[in-house]
Amino acid sequence: MTSRRNLIKSLSLLPLAGALKPDFFIKKNSASELPKSAKRDYFKELGVRTFINAAGTYTFMTGSLMREEVKNAYIATSYDFVNYHELQDKVGARLAELLDCEAATVTSGAAAAITLGTAGTLTGLDPEKAGMLPHLDGTSMKTEVIMQRKHAIEYAQAIENCGVKVVYVDTAKELEKAINKNTAMYYFVNFLNYEGEIQWQEVLDICQKHGVPTMIDCAADVPPVENLFRFQRMGFDMVCFSGGKGLRGPQSAGILMGKKKYIDAARLNAPPFGDTIGRGMKVNKEEIVGMLAAVEDFLSRDHEADWKLWEGQINLVQNAVKDFEGMNTEIKVPELANVVPTLHLNWDTSKIPISGDELKEEMRNGHPSIEIAGGGKNSVSITTWMLKPGQERVVASRLNEILTQKTT
Ligand SMILES: *Cc1c(COP(=O)(O)O)cnc(C)c1O
C-alpha cells in the first residue's frame, strides 16, 4: 500500500516528457554502437554475392546505395507509430515546398507514380470510382491515354494497369486528332524527348489547349539537380521520379509531384486505402521519410564535387584500357537521363579476342565481382557514379588484367 503510493509519488517526480519519450523505453543506436544485427553479414550468410557497380542504376542490381542521411532517417522513424495519412500529408507538403510545386507524394517508385497518377486522372476524388479500377466499362470514367509511339517504353505498362487503352501517335496533327472526350491523360517520357517528333513544349501547348492533363516520366533524370524543378515549371501537371536511382533514396520509393488536384486524386488510389488499384504499392513510413531525407540531401549536395569525383574516376579507368591496340575509348555524357560521364569501349576482336559479353562475364566472375554495362559483340560501357571512392582502381586494374591476358 505504502509502496504503491510511494511509487506513484516517485514517478510523478520524474520529468514527464522524459518519462514518456519513446527512447525512455527503447534505446536508439547511434552509428558508433551498432547493434549485433547491424553487423551481421546477411549477404554472406545467404550466399548472395555482392559486387562493385560500375554499370549504373539498374533495378536488377538493386538501384543505388542509400545515402547515410536516408539510412539514419529510416532507423530514426522505425520506433514509433504515426498516422499514415498525416505523415504523407506532411512529407508531401515539405517536398512540395522544397521542389517548388503545388503538391507531392511519396510512391513506391516511379512506376507506381505513373500508375497512381494515371488512376487519379480517371477517378478524380471519387472513392467509388477508385474501387472500380481497372474496370472502366459501363462507368463514367475516361478510357484513353495518349503517348507518342517513340515513347512506348516497357514501364508504360504502369499506365495500362489502370484498364485504359493507350492511343499511339507520331505527329502533332495525330495528337490533335487523337484527343477526344475519352482522353484521360497524355504520357511523356523525358529521356525520349529528342526521339519523338513532338517535343516538350508542343505537347504541352496542344494538351493544354484541349484541357488534357500531362504526365512526364523523369525516373532517371537526376542529376542534374535542376531537373527536379524544370518540368513542373515547364507546365507538366504530374512529374514522376525514382527514389532509388540518382536521388539515392530507398529503392522502393519515388515521387509524384505537380498540380494539387492530380496528386490528391492519385492518393485516393494509394495505400492505406484497401479497395484501390494501388494497394500493393505501399511505401512504409521509414521509406516515406527516407525519400524526404534523400531529396533534402540531394538539394544540399556539392554537385560539382560529385561530378569531379566521377570524372576523375572515369579518366582513371579509361587510362587503364586505352593503350591496347585495337581499343577505342570515348567518354560521353548522355543529354537526357543518366547524365553522368560514361565510358564506352569498343574494340577490334582480331586484335583483342574477347566479346563484350565475355568481358562482362569475366568481370562478373572475378574477385571482387564487378558489374559493367553494355555487352554484345565487341563493346561495353562503364559509369563511376555508383562506385565507392577507391573502387575505380579495382575496376581499372581488373579490366587491364583481362585485356592483357587476352592480348599476350
Ligand atoms: C527506372 C524507370 C522507371 C521505373 O522506376 P522505379 O522507380 O523503379 O519504379 C520508369 N520510367 C523510366 C524512364 C525509368 O528509367
Side-chain angles (χ1 to χ4, degrees):
M1 166 75 182
T2 45
S3 66
R4 190 183 160 86
R5 189 168 290 158
N6 284 346
L7 176 67
I8 290 167
K9 222 173 154 188
S10 63
L11 267 181
S12 70
L13 290 176
L14 279 172
L16 189 65
L20 294 181
K21 261 202 336 219
D23 29 353
F24 183 75
F25 300 102
I26 301 165
K27 197 161 166 294
K28 288 185 190 176
N29 296 288
S30 71
S32 58
E33 41 162 331
L34 288 171
K36 253 205 201 116
S37 59
K39 288 189 203 137
R40 249 177 88 180
D41 192 341
Y42 288 93
F43 293 137
K44 199 168 172 196
E45 280 178 34
L46 293 164
V48 174
R49 203 165 181 209
T50 60
F51 55 84
I52 291 176
N53 181 353
T57 58
Y58 291 87
T59 299
F60 82 97
M61 294 187 196
T62 57
S64 57
L65 295 181
M66 292 186 285
R67 294 268 179 214
E68 287 308 308
E69 288 75 2
V70 177
K71 292 183 236 177
N72 290 340
Y74 203 105
I75 293 174
T77 52
S78 66
Y79 292 89
D80 300 292
F81 289 97
V82 293
N83 180 290
Y84 195 94
H85 296 287
E86 186 190 0
L87 183 65
Q88 279 283 34
D89 283 347
K90 289 185 175 158
V91 167
R94 180 93 181 94
L95 283 173
E97 191 186 312
L98 287 170
L99 301 173
D100 191 24
C101 54
E102 281 182 22
T105 191
V106 179
T107 62
S108 62
I114 296 167
T115 298
L116 297 176
T118 305
T121 65
L122 302 171
T123 64
L125 291 174
D126 184 344
E128 257 181 58
K129 286 182 181 163
M132 291 173 192
L133 293 186
H135 304 291
L136 302 171
D137 286 354
T139 73
S140 59
M141 287 187 271
K142 296 183 193 293
T143 53
E144 295 176 3
V145 169
I146 305 175
M147 72 176 75
Q148 290 175 75
R149 205 166 269 111
K150 291 264 171 65
H151 289 216
I153 57 171
E154 57 184 356
Y155 303 106
Q157 173 91 29
I159 296 166
E160 291 179 74
N161 285 351
C162 298
V164 293
K165 178 177 151 221
V166 175
V167 177
Y168 298 100
V169 299
D170 288 311
T171 63
K173 255 208 187 104
E174 285 177 26
L175 171 55
E176 289 262 14
K177 249 183 84 186
I179 294 172
N180 66 67
K181 64 177 186 356
N182 292 321
T183 306
M185 190 184 87
Y186 183 94
Y187 169 75
F188 195 97
V189 179
N190 190 53
F191 84 90
L192 294 171
N193 179 63
Y194 300 114
E195 302 293 321
E197 188 158 322
I198 344 171
Q199 301 186 356
W200 296 300
Q201 198 55 53
E202 197 176 5
V203 164
L204 285 170
D205 288 345
I206 296 170
C207 289
Q208 283 165 359
K209 189 171 88 186
H210 295 280
V212 172
T214 48
M215 171 187 281
I216 187 164
D217 177 351
C218 296
D221 287 286
V222 288
V225 63
E226 301 80 59
N227 278 358
L228 280 177
F229 304 90
R230 185 170 174 204
F231 302 100
Q232 59 272 40
R233 286 178 185 161
M234 207 183 260
F236 283 93
D237 296 309
M238 285 169 277
V239 184
C240 311
F241 276 98
S242 282
K245 293 181 182 167
L247 284 172
R248 296 188 55 177
Q251 190 189 12
S252 42
I255 299 171
L256 177 68
M257 62 173 150
K259 299 266 161 63
K260 185 167 187 315
K261 75 173 195 185
Y262 297 117
I263 309 305
D264 287 348
R267 278 187 56 191
L268 194 73
N269 292 278
F273 298 116
D275 56 341
T276 59
I277 199 156
R279 184 58 179 85
M281 303 173 196
K282 184 165 56 188
V283 206
N284 65 22
K285 66 183 186 303
E286 294 83 359
E287 289 167 331
I288 293 171
V289 178
M291 193 66 251
L292 173 63
V295 170
E296 286 177 349
D297 173 72
F298 194 78
L299 291 175
S300 65
R301 293 189 70 70
D302 183 346
H303 294 278
E304 267 177 46
D306 283 345
W307 191 269
K308 276 210 181 104
L309 174 70
W310 301 335
E311 228 171 24
Q313 291 170 313
I314 206 98
N315 287 336
L316 185 123
V317 177
Q318 184 185 36
N319 285 335
V321 298
K322 71 178 182 3
D323 293 333
F324 286 91
E325 204 195 327
M327 174 64 76
N328 299 306
T329 71
E330 191 182 9
I331 295 171
K332 287 199 273 194
V333 179
E335 197 167 345
L336 295 169
N338 301 299
V339 180
V340 294
T342 307
L343 173 63
H344 298 275
L345 306 182
N346 71 79
W347 56 91
D348 177 348
T349 48
S350 70
K351 304 227 164 73
I352 307 173
I354 185 171
S355 73
D357 285 336
E358 285 161 355
L359 178 58
K360 247 175 102 165
E361 198 57 25
E362 291 209 21
M363 292 292 281
R364 178 177 296 146
N365 293 336
H367 301 273
S369 176
I370 300 167
E371 288 287 347
I372 57 178
K377 207 162 88 29
N378 65 337
S379 64
V380 293
S381 67
I382 287 166
T383 65
T384 52
W385 63 320
M386 292 295 122
L387 295 180
K388 298 175 194 169
Q391 288 183 331
E392 69 277 10
R393 293 182 189 285
V394 183
V395 175
S397 73
R398 181 71 186 129
L399 274 172
N400 185 282
E401 183 182 46
I402 295 171
L403 295 175
T404 303
Q405 277 167 9
K406 297 295 161 187
T407 52
T408 50

